[in-house]
């Protein structure tokens, strides 16, 4: 969730942003348009499996899009108070409230 929050902050400041950039999952890249508005396309790259990158043009999100995303992120954090626990080297599980 922190990575998505960082991506939203980058987009809000007019910079490019990536999300899920772990190298082990498909990732997304958002680019602002030339006028400094929100990105008009997004790329998803599946490096670990196929190596394929797909770029999809998007219609311009509303000016409220980042605020709406932040609101949904806050709701997700409230509803899913989860922790990531490393169960063995390189293996992770979600656990509610850190309980076993």
């Amino acid at each position: 969730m922190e990575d998505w929050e960082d991506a939203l902050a980058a987009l809000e400041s007019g910079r490019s942003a990536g999300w899920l950039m772990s190298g082990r999952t498909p990732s997304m890249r958002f680019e602002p348009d030339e006028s400094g508005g929100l990105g008009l396309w997004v790329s998803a790259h599946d490096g670990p499996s196929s190596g394929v990158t797909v770029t999809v043009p998007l219609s311009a999100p509303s000016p409220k899009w980042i605020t709406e995303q932040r609101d949904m992120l806050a709701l997700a954090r409230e509803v899913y108070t989860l922790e990531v626990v490393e169960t063995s080297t390189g293996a992770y599980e979600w656990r509610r409230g850190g309980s076993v």
Side-chain angles (χ1 to χ4, degrees), residues 4-98:
W4 183 236
E5 187 171 38
D6 293 344
L8 292 172
L11 289 170
E12 194 169 39
S13 68
R15 295 178 289 132
S16 299
W19 185 56
L20 294 177
M21 306 301 277
S22 71
R24 296 181 297 198
T25 61
S27 59
M28 296 173 60
R29 184 110 189 116
F30 300 87
E31 297 287 337
D33 66 18
E34 294 171 3
S35 69
L38 289 179
L40 296 177
W41 56 272
V42 64
S43 291
H45 177 68
D46 181 23
S49 292
S50 66
V52 170
T53 299
V54 176
T55 301
V56 180
L58 301 175
S59 51
S62 78
K64 298 178 186 178
W65 185 79
I66 290 177
T67 301
E68 292 166 350
Q69 291 298 307
R70 288 187 185 282
D71 291 346
M72 285 189 274
L73 179 60
L75 180 60
R77 283 188 168 143
E78 183 179 314
V79 173
Y80 299 102
T81 55
L82 302 175
E83 288 185 14
V84 175
V85 178
E86 188 169 13
T87 56
S88 62
T89 305
Y92 300 89
E93 287 183 10
W94 287 100
R95 294 200 178 147
R96 184 169 297 278

